[in-house]
Structures are given as C-alpha cells and as structure tokens.
Amino acid sequence: MVSRVIPVDPFDLVIFGGTGDLARRKILPGLFRRYCAGQMPKDARVVGAARAEMDDADYRSMVGEAIVEFSVRSDVDQGKLTAFLENLSYVAIDARGENGWSELAQHMRRKVVRAFYFSVAPGLFGDLAERLNNHGLTDDDSRIVVEKPFGRDLSSARQLNQDLAAFFDEGQIYRIDHYLGKETVQNLMAVRFGNMLFEPLWNSQFVDHIQITVAETVGVGGRGEYYDKSGAMRDMVQNHLMQLLCLIAMEPPARFDPDAVRDEKLKVIRALEPVEPHHIVRGQYDADPTDPENLPNYRTAVENPTSKTESFIALKTHIANWRWAGTPFYLRTGKRLVARSSEISIVFKDTPHSIFGEEAGRHRNVLSIRLQPNEGIKLGVTIKEPGPGGMRLIDVPLDMTFADALGPDGAENVDAYERLIMDVIRGNQTLFMRGDEVEAAWAWTDPIIEGWTNRGDVPKPYDSHSAGPDAAAQLMRRDDRDWREVTP
Ligand code: NAP
C-alpha cells in the first residue's frame, strides 16, 4: 500500500532558534523528510534565525550535518539533501534587540503562508511576537508555532497566552504537543469514531479502568537544570499524558475539526477531579549498582544534592461525568525506567458470569494502544487454548500493528514533528492545543504541586532500570489491579 502525499501550498518558514537542539534534531530533519516525500513545494523557503553570526553557506552546512546525524534512515540521498539545502537561508537576529529584523522583513514574501516557529525559550515568545508585529510580519497568512513548556503554572501560562494574543488571533497560534502528532494517537480517534465496535463499550459500565504509561529509559541528560525546576508533573503529565487522557475520555466531537475536537477535550479537563494526596506517588531515581555504565543518580545528574523534584509520578484520577463516573484513570511516567514504552490500555470489565467456572481464571479484554516503540493497537481477546484436554482459556492479541497490517509503505513512520509542521502550513489546528485547554490543564495541576510544596513532600527513591517505586505498584494493588508490565 502506497501512502498518498498531498503537497502543501508555498510557504516561508522561519525557525527562531534555528541552530538549537530541537531544530537540528527534529524540525529540520523532519522538513527534509517531507521534502523527500514530495510534500514540500519547490519554492518553499526555510529561514534559520538565531543570534550567532553566520552566513547562508555556514547554516546550510550545519543543517546538512544535522540531517545526516539525526535522520531516521541511514541512507540520506545526497542529491536531494543538496537540493533541499538550497531552500535554506539564515538571518542573525536577536529576539530581544533590533538586530536582523529589517533584513528578515525584507526577505519574507507576501501572499504565501508565513510560519514562524518559536524554537526558543518561552521567555522569548512575547519579544518575538512583538517584533514580528512591529516589522509588519503579522498578516492573516502568518502563524506562529510555540513549543512546550507553555508556562510552569496557571498564571505564567495565562501571561504567555496574553503576550501572544496581543499580536495574534487564537487561530494563528499553534501550541505543539508532539504526542498529538503521533500516528497511533490519531489512529486512536479513527478506531474510536470510525468503528461501531468500540464506542458502545467506551464508558464506565464496561471499562474497569484505564492506564496511561509513558516510560523512558533515559535520565535527565543535559537538561538537568531545566528539569529540576520542572519535574515529571510539569514536564509530562500536564501536557502529554493529559492530552492522551483527553483523547481517550472525550465525547465524540460533531466533526473532526479543530474547535469541535478541542471543545470536547476541554470538557474532559474541566471534569477532572482533584487528586487526593494518597493517590499520587512521586519518585526520584537512584543509581543502579549493577549498571556497567555507572550512570549517576538523579540528584547528581541535576547537580542538586537536596533536590525534591520528581523524575517519576504515578497517580489515580477520576472524571466526574456520566460516561466515566467510577472508572479510575491511572497515569504513570518516569525517567530511567526499565524500558522505553508508551502505552494506553483500556481494561474492560470481567464478563458478568463465567460459564467456564472459577478454574478458567480471570480474563479481561484489553485494548492497548502503543505509541512507542512499535506503534500499533492490540485487542486482547480470550479464546480456547488449542488442542485436546478440555476448555482452557488463554488471552491472545488481535494485532493491528501498522507495519504488519499496512506493509512498509502504508506504515511509513512519519515523525510527529513532520506531520505537525505540515499541519501548520495547511492551517489545520486540530492536533494543537488551544489556549484555554492549556490553562485548564494548569488549573488542575497547580493545586497538586502546591500540596507537595506545602507538605514538604519528598519523592521516594527508586532503582534505575526498575518500574519505579514500590508505592506505585501498591497504588494499583490497593484497588485489586496491576500496572501492565513496562516492556520494550
Ligand atoms: P537550545 O538548544 O538551547 O537552542 C536555543 C536556540 O535559541 C538557539 O538556536 C539559540 O541560538 C537561540 N536563541 C537563544 N536566545 C536567543 C535570542 N535572544 N534571540 C534569538 N535566538 C536566540 O534549545 P532547544 O533544546 O532547541 O529548545 C528550544 C525550545 O524548544 C525550548 O523552549 C525547549 O523547551 C523546547 N523543546 C525542546 C525540545 C528538545 O528536544 N530539544 C523538546 C521539546 C521542547 P543563539 O544562542 O545563537 O541565539
């Protein structure tokens, strides 16, 4: 099966922070892949912008090296790379000064989509928006893309929203959550709303509970200073896990359009119940004594020997509405865990009566949506174990792993960033967070974090390469449930 690629309209894309880590690792390799796929029109232009002085040739050479280094495929086509780089230029610009702005304004074309990617620290968002406006770059064809973190609490998120709203309409602001750009996440909506099979069961009458796990094997790496001020709650739960929860829990939108989808997500966030302190487990990773690499523990990695920031969190929450009353949602995320694995599991209830007797054991249908690695959706069903010897039941997966079902072309692994950037150019905001969603998510998160501060809460240590603190397992066991295994 060959995937269809629909070219987008001509555009000028400016990447503020075009020399930074995100631009080099994700944005520019993603654009190159869209170029190779034939989705970028020939006259699309990309402008890197940062303070460092360099000319176009230096920039192209830097980007070329980054694309080779960070490309998903090992075989970068040199001819295509050279042609792609010809569309690139560079402007030395200071978000907080006047340097470079007139040059950028002269460079930009009119009557094409003009997209400005703010791949810089959020403290610069307001400065960039103001200067874009001052230099006449904020017409109806312009749009801005902003990266996480979008605030660190409700008041800072509100301030950021106001800073951007001073110069841009909400319809021009694209707040990226790259989890929403993942193929499986969109497939979750296709499976839910494109089939008759699941939706009638998608409620507290039939669903026992829902688990969302985003497990990483990496530690804080080079982001220690940022991460220690943030922690797993701000860095992962408030945005990525919350967005996944919304897509699982939302009512069917009337249409697959940006505001219809985002209205439904917002209702979910607003219906989230406050989390009881004993329904949250925070953890901080220790070193692993058996680790041949001798990787440091969290506090050493962030160079803060008394840090109380969590690198792991597990919590139970409820959604107070008719569909989900009584069905717990368990969320879990952490660093330096046993495997890299992101998965959503819808665990259905037991059958009302087992005709096979107690010896058949407990069998539950589980719909598991795997985001990484090996994106795909599996439905666990109970069948008879083949062979003679009576009725023994086993659980087997109905596997909708895309690579198997659709073949290598159909399952082309389009990275979340490439998809989302093309959506920006197309003007489709469905997979981007609206300002009120972000604020509502902070309004739910803030009291939880304030509670830790007020109580002087200290995260529980857990071994690196484990599944997190034991208390996280107990959070489930108290409810006679278990986390699904974190497997690669
Ligand atoms: P980074 O590696 O530190 O790069 C920052 C970029 O901003 C550089 O190009 C820098 O170049 C430029 N810059 C800094 N001050 C500037 C100014 N006053 N005017 C113009 N340009 C300026 O950061 P990053 O990791 O790419 O992250 C960028 C943003 O994306 C941050 O908000 C981050 O939280 C977010 N993000 C990053 C990742 C990731 O994987 N890296 C993931 C999610 C979100 P000069 O110093 O030469 O100006």
Side-chain angles (χ1 to χ4, degrees), residues 9 30-31 44 63 83 98 112 162 164 173 210 226 232 262 272 305 321 337 339 365 371 383 439 441 447 452 461:
D9 291 335
L31 283 166
V63 173
E98 285 313 309
V112 296
Q162 284 167 14
L164 299 180
I173 304 170
I210 285 159
Y226 155 77
R262 297 185 301 176
L272 276 174
N321 65 17
L337 295 180
N365 299 118
L371 308 178
I383 60 164
E439 289 186 15
W452 298 334

Side-chain angles (χ1 to χ4, degrees), residues 17-23 25 49-52 93-96 119-122 124 147-149 417:
T19 57
D21 177 68
L22 183 68
R25 255 181 341 106
R51 288 170 304 179
I93 214 163
D94 187 349
R96 292 213 160 112
S119 183
V120 294
L124 297 176
E147 268 296 339
K148 81 166 204 186
Y417 274 95

Side-chain angles (χ1 to χ4, degrees), residues 15-27 49-54 59 62 90-97 99 101 117-125 127-128 146-150 176 178 223 226 235 240 417:
I15 309 172
F16 293 109
T19 57
D21 177 68
L22 183 68
R24 286 183 299 112
R25 255 181 341 106
K26 290 286 180 189
I27 304 171
R51 288 170 304 179
E53 291 293 338
M54 65 173 91
Y59 188 61
M62 189 208 82
Y90 181 80
V91 179
I93 214 163
D94 187 349
R96 292 213 160 112
N99 185 32
W101 284 97
Y117 200 128
F118 292 8
S119 183
V120 294
L124 297 176
F125 290 178
D127 298 296
L128 288 175
V146 295
E147 268 296 339
K148 81 166 204 186
F150 200 84
I176 279 216
H178 71 273
R223 297 167 69 222
Y226 155 77
D235 191 50
H240 304 316
Y417 274 95

